[in-house]
Amino acid sequence: MRGIAAQEDGGERLDAIAAARILGTAAWRLGRYEEGRQHLERGLALARQAGHDGWRAVLLDGLGLCLAARGAYAAAERAQREALLLNERLGTSYQMVQNLVNLAAHAGRRG
């Protein structure tokens, strides 16, 4: 995370957000769920500070997938629902479909 902090100081916030997403996704896919969650939440905080709803939606989607992978289904569903609301407002239909598919998977796990 040291490199991300350096980028933030250099005014390259969007690069730092993208890096957090990549690192977070890679970590949780490798089974390092806590590390992945931390990267994704850091990116989400940066996206909120930047007022970038598109990145917020992408990071919330990734956070939802990470949380579901570690069995935190209720938290995963909350993240996915927030991402869906943002994507609806932004009109990003492909992302909305992804959110709905992920929400359906969470509902299937609940039974």
Side-chain angles (χ1 to χ4, degrees), residues 7-89:
Q7 286 184 358
E8 290 168 34
D9 292 342
E12 300 175 10
R13 189 177 303 219
L14 292 180
D15 287 343
I17 294 168
R21 177 186 180 232
I22 292 166
L23 292 169
T25 300
W28 78 257
R29 286 185 182 257
L30 291 169
R32 300 189 325 238
Y33 304 115
E34 184 59 25
E35 180 184 343
R37 183 192 62 75
Q38 289 174 1
H39 283 297
L40 292 165
E41 287 182 349
R42 178 66 179 146
L44 185 56
L46 291 171
R48 282 189 178 119
Q49 290 170 1
H52 202 296
D53 287 346
W55 270 115
R56 281 180 55 211
V58 167
L59 287 154
L60 284 163
D61 182 68
L63 182 60
L65 293 171
C66 175
L67 292 167
R70 64 185 257 214
Y73 301 119
E77 189 172 330
R78 283 191 300 275
Q80 291 292 334
R81 286 190 186 283
E82 188 176 345
L84 177 60
L85 290 172
L86 286 168
N87 284 316
E88 285 174 340
R89 195 175 77 224

